[in-house]
Amino acid sequence: MRLRLLKKNFIAFLVVLIVVLMLFYALRRTNNESNVDVTEKDSTQTAVMGKFEYSSIENMRKSIYDSNYRQFIQNGDKFALEPEVVVVIQVHNRPAYLKMLIQSLEKVAGVENMLLIFSHDYFSEEISDMVKGITFCRVLQIFFPYSVQLYPNEFPGQDPQDCPRDISKEDAIKKGCSNAEHPDSYGHYREASITQTKHHWWWKLHFVFERVRVLLGYNGYIVFIEEDNYLLPDFLAFFKSMAELRKTSCGDCDILALGNHNDLSRFHEFSSKTETAPWLSTQHNIGMGISRELYYKLMGCNKAFCTYDDYNWDWTLQNLSGTCISKSLKVLLARGSRVLHTGDCGLHQKEDCRPEKAQERVEAALKEARSALFPSTLALTDFGPVDHHPHMKNGGWGDVRDHTLCINYAARL
């Protein structure tokens, strides 16, 4: 009897053991298959993105051309294909300010319905990793292929054979430097670091409207900002209200200006107010919403833009308004800015940058302005026809090589 009981217990033990072993191997197989799927997914993503090589200038050039061709959309499987607005950020090399911008973008209500395009003219793993860390909306990175960083000793960088900035034309010709015949309007020769921003801006405009495949068929506005900007939480809601206002009440407005250079001290008063004005570079060059219709007008002035002797893209654009573009550009602008300028240093001032102070100022201003965000309706003051506002060109753009390269962006992107 006891022997029979032991035999039954042993058989039951064997059955349980077999079941446990079967479950163990089944789970292990499932985990292995899962790991293979993750590995394959990662490999596929790497293959789509391409690996960006920073080890040499030649490798960076190849990576840039490859990336601009592949146009990998980060988070493309998580968010809607048709964006409500496209925001293009021109990025140089101020990662602390870029970090603030990204933090502000994450707080924008409805950001998941935006497409962000980061356009770089300086290439580093630090900056790239910051952008790759964005998970809250779709992202595309594009890369300016004629950066000074990629051509440190030849045009469009600074060629050792180029003329010094302040040498006279007579002495430059005697010296035989390469661009002796082409000083600017004030007798100065080109500085590569100064010319790059205008090059990048014009190339970026071409590339986004003509070459970004995901935007083929997109007829909405594209808003242009820079790395040292900061977006308010109601940026998208305000933009949509502003675009509707333009349709109903300002059909001849060419540009939406979502930002201005005022602080938020009177934000409660101006939050829901908009007005029209002639486009001025010193006032309306921040948070510019550009339509495809305006883009085509600008492309009709490709040569005029690229040969005008001013190293600033915005002053050049103001010159086109009312000259090459026969009707002066009219802007519909937000009196309560939805795009803040945080940068306290830039093209001409590269030392004593205090991004932490800028962060403190923005946070304090937002705390005061928060209750006036998300106005239910917008009020418009229309000042009627606009006039051309000429200005004294700034120079820095007299070299025919800059002219030729700039003109050719439309053909060899």
Side-chain angles (χ1 to χ4, degrees):
M1 184 76 176
R2 184 181 295 173
L3 182 61
R4 202 181 307 163
L5 186 60
L6 287 172
K7 188 175 180 181
K8 286 183 179 179
N9 289 340
F10 180 71
I11 291 172
F13 172 76
L14 283 177
V15 170
V16 171
L17 181 62
I18 290 169
V19 170
V20 170
L21 287 173
M22 288 176 67
L23 287 172
F24 173 77
Y25 282 110
L27 287 170
R28 185 174 180 184
R29 181 179 178 183
T30 301
N31 287 335
N32 286 340
E33 289 176 351
S34 177
N35 288 335
V36 168
D37 288 342
V38 170
T39 302
E40 288 178 351
K41 184 177 180 181
D42 289 345
S43 299
T44 301
Q45 188 178 72
T46 300
V48 172
M49 290 179 65
K51 182 173 173 55
F52 202 105
E53 295 287 350
Y54 298 93
S55 55
S56 68
I57 288 175
E58 186 60 35
N59 285 337
M60 279 198 291
R61 289 179 185 174
K62 290 178 180 177
S63 294
I64 283 163
Y65 281 101
D66 184 60
S67 296
N68 285 344
Y69 174 76
R70 291 174 182 268
Q71 297 182 18
F72 173 74
I73 304 296
Q74 183 178 318
N75 306 318
D77 57 343
K78 292 173 59 178
F79 301 104
L81 294 178
E82 182 69 20
E84 292 184 343
V85 65
V86 178
V87 176
V88 180
I89 303 105
Q90 184 158 324
V91 183
H92 182 52
N93 184 26
R94 290 180 287 179
Y97 294 98
L98 179 60
K99 182 179 179 181
M100 277 192 284
L101 170 61
I102 292 172
Q103 289 172 346
S104 76
L105 285 163
E106 187 170 13
K107 297 173 185 175
V108 171
V111 66
E112 65 275 7
N113 299 314
M114 293 165 58
L115 170 64
L116 304 181
I117 300 178
F118 291 82
S119 183
H120 303 272
D121 61 33
Y122 183 86
F123 318 109
S124 76
E125 291 186 75
E126 178 187 14
I127 292 173
S128 179
D129 288 346
M130 289 174 65
V131 177
K132 287 178 182 177
I134 295 174
T135 59
F136 49 80
C137 69
R138 295 201 302 160
V139 174
L140 169 64
Q141 296 193 69
I142 62 176
F143 303 89
F144 177 51
Y146 304 104
S147 163
V148 172
Q149 186 184 7
L150 300 176
Y151 297 89
N153 299 306
E154 58 181 307
F155 179 86
Q158 202 72 40
D159 192 311
Q161 299 303 313
D162 285 349
C163 302
R165 176 186 184 274
D166 295 321
I167 193 173
S168 69
K169 184 175 181 179
E170 181 182 359
D171 289 342
I173 293 173
K174 288 178 182 177
K175 184 177 181 179
C177 45
S178 58
N179 54 337
E181 296 290 345
H182 305 290
D184 68 10
S185 301
Y186 304 101
H188 300 300
Y189 290 93
R190 81 183 294 270
E191 297 173 272
S193 61
I194 298 296
T195 61
Q196 176 170 267
T197 301
K198 180 173 175 176
H199 274 296
H200 184 181
W201 196 87
W202 199 239
W203 172 86
K204 172 188 68 181
L205 196 68
H206 282 296
F207 196 88
V208 169
F209 276 102
E210 299 285 358
R211 296 293 189 268
V212 173
R213 291 186 292 274
V214 74
L215 294 183
L216 295 178
Y218 174 78
N219 290 314
Y221 282 88
I222 297 179
V223 180
F224 292 86
I225 63 174
E226 299 183 6
E227 65 188 342
D228 63 346
N229 293 160
Y230 189 102
L231 272 58
L232 270 60
D234 68 342
F235 169 85
L236 180 57
F238 191 89
F239 163 79
K240 291 193 289 185
S241 296
M242 205 173 187
E244 285 301 314
L245 183 65
R246 189 261 177 193
K247 284 182 185 178
T248 60
S249 305
C250 193
D252 61 341
C253 285
D254 301 288
I255 296 171
L256 302 183
L258 286 103
N260 58 57
H261 291 277
N262 301 326
D263 58 28
L264 298 183
S265 58
R266 300 177 66 186
F267 189 77
H268 283 76
E269 178 185 353
F270 294 141
S271 175
S272 64
K273 295 181 179 180
T274 65
E275 66 182 24
T276 62
W279 192 87
L280 298 176
S281 68
T282 54
Q283 298 179 28
H284 310 132
N285 62 354
I286 179 172
M288 287 175 55
I290 293 179
S291 66
R292 192 171 291 275
E293 180 184 6
L294 176 58
Y295 165 73
Y296 288 137
K297 287 183 182 179
L298 295 176
M299 290 310 100
C301 297
N302 189 29
K303 184 176 180 181
F305 181 96
C306 290
T307 57
Y308 184 66
D309 187 13
D310 196 313
Y311 68 90
N312 299 286
W313 66 265
D314 46 1
W315 282 113
T316 303
L317 188 59
Q318 182 172 321
N319 176 69
L320 298 182
S321 173
T323 56
C324 179
I325 299 174
S326 58
K327 175 181 168 291
S328 295
L329 295 175
K330 185 176 181 179
V331 59
L332 175 62
L333 64 102
R335 296 197 67 190
S337 182
R338 264 56 187 189
V339 183
L340 304 180
H341 181 247
T342 59
D344 53 5
C345 59
L347 186 62
H348 299 293
Q349 179 186 343
K350 301 183 183 299
E351 298 179 356
D352 299 324
C353 301
R354 302 292 299 276
E356 68 283 356
K357 293 297 182 183
Q359 180 80 49
E360 291 175 7
R361 289 195 301 271
V362 166
E363 289 176 355
L366 272 177
K367 188 176 181 180
E368 294 295 323
R370 193 167 301 279
S371 62
L373 296 172
F374 298 97
S376 56
T377 58
L378 301 185
L380 171 64
T381 302
D382 190 337
F383 290 100
V386 298
D387 300 319
H388 173 60
H389 285 257
H391 84 289
M392 183 73 70
K393 64 182 72 171
N394 290 296
W397 194 266
D399 199 307
V400 293
R401 295 173 299 174
D402 287 313
H403 302 170
T404 302
L405 177 60
C406 178
I407 289 169
N408 284 339
Y409 289 146
R412 54 168 145 129
L413 289 165

